[in-house]
Amino acid sequence: FLRKILALKHATFLTHNRCHTFKKRTLRKIYLLILISFFLQNCKEKTELNTNLKPTYTEFKNAWESNNLYGKIKELKLLKANSQGENKFEKPILNLTQKFTDFGEIKEIESYDNFGELIQKDVYEYDNNNFLIKTISTNKPAELNYIMTVKNDTVNKNNVRTIIINDSLKQQVTVFYDKKDFITKQVAIEKADTTTVNHKYHFENDNLISEIQFERDEKNPNQEFHYKYDNNGNLVESSTKTEWIEYLTETEWDDNRILKQTEYIISADLKKHLDRITEYDRLFNPVNVKIYENSELNRELEYDYEFDQFGNWIKRTVSMKEHFANSDKFIPIYFESREIKYWN
């Protein structure tokens, strides 16, 4: 009888322990599920495209906007890893470092080669009004030291840029502006030679329709720029023309965002040769690029992104389809990641 009581107590003890263990395990599972849910939610927030943001396409206020970046970025590092086949990539190598001021202008750029060795370093200095006053560039392979100083005259609407290369004066350029900050004239002095380039603009309904750059006669311009707009004032066609060649870009819009750009080259034969078609997401990141040779589709690139909570891409995989080789699938060719720090 005593054995039965002891056995019963033992069984009760085991049952209690099992129930206690079951409860602990259940709580652990619930806690784990919560963590997984939280993690997945964070991942979802980081990888989804923030469609509430709006890219800036023209009239940039700072380098953040001109580089299609969102938020107050302090530093950006770009790393690249080439594909080794079958979704395997080499070890990522630092390709570029950019540092920004707290007002959004470039402070420092470091460029690296395919082995991660520093090629060039550019340092930018600004005055108290956030105007650029000095650029210092050092290129190691070329053994080149470049210094440009800028003197800004906001009253007379001009600035003087003095360029020194390897401790020798190379050039001095005076740039003149109108009331809208459009360049009207550039005067470059190099040794005993002086070159003057004039800029003339034509506007319609506050839209820039054309610009010509010429030295003496505006009927024989060095360069011409022409622009067309839709009824919403969105740029739908732009061209850059020299004496020998013209580059034409047609832009398609959707909901006041750039959806696609088609680029052509018009050469000496005056024929329109299809060169490239680029499709974008809603934040103006390329998602598909078709590259043509003699207007024939040669190869096609596809971009797949992950984003941070500010809307900047932090990972992208670039894949290529080789149409010239009759390929029927995209193959990853390289992977890029961006490490981004923000100003507080």
Side-chain angles (χ1 to χ4, degrees):
F1 178 77
L2 183 60
R3 287 178 181 174
K4 288 182 178 179
I5 292 175
L6 291 172
L8 182 60
K9 285 184 176 181
H10 182 64
T12 304
F13 175 77
L14 288 175
T15 302
H16 179 267
N17 271 358
R18 284 171 183 163
C19 289
H20 183 66
T21 303
F22 175 78
K23 288 178 181 178
K24 286 175 69 178
R25 287 177 178 172
T26 302
L27 288 171
R28 286 175 183 168
K29 286 181 179 178
I30 292 172
Y31 181 68
L32 182 60
L33 287 172
I34 292 172
L35 283 177
I36 292 172
S37 176
F38 179 76
F39 175 76
L40 290 175
Q41 181 64 28
N42 279 349
C43 287
K44 185 178 180 182
E45 290 176 356
K46 289 181 180 179
T47 57
E48 284 189 349
L49 184 67
N50 186 345
T51 56
N52 293 322
L53 296 171
K54 183 71 182 289
T56 303
Y57 302 112
T58 58
E59 299 180 5
F60 306 114
K61 296 177 183 177
N62 50 50
W64 291 329
E65 291 185 351
S66 63
N67 283 272
N68 198 31
L69 298 171
Y70 302 91
K72 300 186 69 174
I73 292 177
K74 185 176 184 178
E75 183 179 67
L76 184 151
K77 290 184 177 181
L78 175 66
L79 295 92
K80 183 177 179 180
N82 292 319
S83 173
Q84 292 183 320
E86 298 181 0
N87 293 323
K88 293 181 180 179
F89 294 90
E90 298 174 349
K91 181 181 177 181
I93 295 176
L94 183 61
N95 189 259
L96 177 73
T97 297
Q98 292 177 304
K99 294 180 180 179
F100 297 84
T101 66
D102 58 359
F103 51 87
E105 295 298 346
I106 292 287
K107 183 179 180 180
E108 185 178 298
I109 299 176
E110 291 182 344
S111 304
Y112 300 83
D113 64 16
N114 293 331
F115 302 99
E117 295 292 327
L118 180 65
I119 299 176
Q120 182 164 317
K121 182 174 181 178
D122 306 301
V123 179
Y124 302 84
E125 298 178 10
Y126 302 85
D127 63 16
N128 293 331
N129 295 315
N130 300 340
F131 288 113
L132 178 68
I133 57 172
K134 194 173 188 178
T135 301
I136 303 172
S137 299
T138 304
N139 187 295
K140 292 180 67 177
E143 297 182 347
L144 184 70
N145 294 309
Y146 170 100
I147 299 175
M148 181 180 73
T149 57
V150 184
K151 292 184 179 180
N152 298 291
D153 185 343
T154 57
V155 175
N156 296 306
K157 303 291 290 182
N158 68 66
N159 64 49
V160 179
R161 307 174 187 182
T162 302
I163 299 169
I164 296 174
I165 298 178
N166 291 345
D167 299 324
S168 297
L169 178 62
K170 178 65 176 176
Q171 191 180 60
Q172 188 175 73
V173 182
T174 304
V175 184
F176 298 88
Y177 300 86
D178 63 14
K179 293 179 180 180
K180 295 182 179 180
D181 287 333
F182 283 95
I183 296 175
T184 58
K185 184 168 64 174
Q186 298 183 74
V187 180
I189 301 173
E190 186 171 348
K191 295 182 179 178
D193 295 327
T194 299
T195 303
T196 300
V197 177
N198 299 285
H199 298 245
K200 187 174 181 179
Y201 305 92
H202 175 62
F203 293 87
E204 287 183 8
N205 300 323
D206 292 329
N207 289 325
L208 177 62
I209 300 301
S210 65
E211 175 193 353
I212 59 172
Q213 298 179 9
F214 60 96
E215 293 184 29
R216 295 180 181 84
D217 183 4
E218 62 182 83
K219 294 182 180 179
N220 296 297
N222 299 358
Q223 278 190 308
E224 295 179 54
F225 304 88
H226 298 273
Y227 309 95
K228 294 181 181 180
Y229 305 84
D230 62 16
N231 293 331
N232 295 318
N234 295 319
L235 182 68
V236 294
E237 183 179 295
S238 63
S239 73
T240 302
K241 186 178 181 181
T242 67
E243 184 180 352
W244 306 279
I245 197 166
E246 181 178 1
Y247 299 96
L248 179 68
T249 301
E250 296 175 352
T251 303
E252 296 181 25
W253 296 75
D254 180 41
D255 191 25
N256 288 321
R257 295 173 187 262
I258 291 179
L259 180 69
K260 182 168 73 172
Q261 289 184 316
T262 304
E263 299 173 47
Y264 300 90
I265 295 176
I266 302 173
S267 50
D269 60 5
L270 300 180
K271 291 182 179 180
K272 194 174 175 182
H273 300 277
L274 181 58
D275 185 58
R276 181 182 298 246
I277 299 175
T278 305
E279 296 178 14
Y280 300 92
D281 63 18
R282 288 179 62 82
L283 295 187
F284 201 47
N285 299 302
V287 292
N288 182 274
V289 178
K290 294 181 177 69
I291 301 169
Y292 294 79
E293 297 286 345
N294 297 318
S295 296
E296 295 284 337
L297 183 58
N298 183 272
R299 56 198 184 277
E300 186 175 357
L301 300 176
E302 204 170 58
Y303 299 80
D304 182 58
Y305 296 90
E306 289 186 20
F307 301 87
D308 67 9
Q309 65 271 29
F310 292 94
N312 297 304
W313 69 262
I314 51 175
K315 294 180 182 179
R316 76 174 178 184
T317 302
V318 182
S319 303
M320 182 169 67
K321 183 192 290 187
E322 297 177 329
H323 290 274
F324 65 87
N326 296 319
S327 175
D328 60 353
K329 64 179 181 179
F330 285 95
I331 298 174
I333 53 174
Y334 64 87
F335 170 82
E336 290 180 316
S337 61
R338 298 200 297 193
E339 299 175 359
I340 303 176
K341 295 180 182 178
Y342 294 84
W343 287 94
N344 295 327

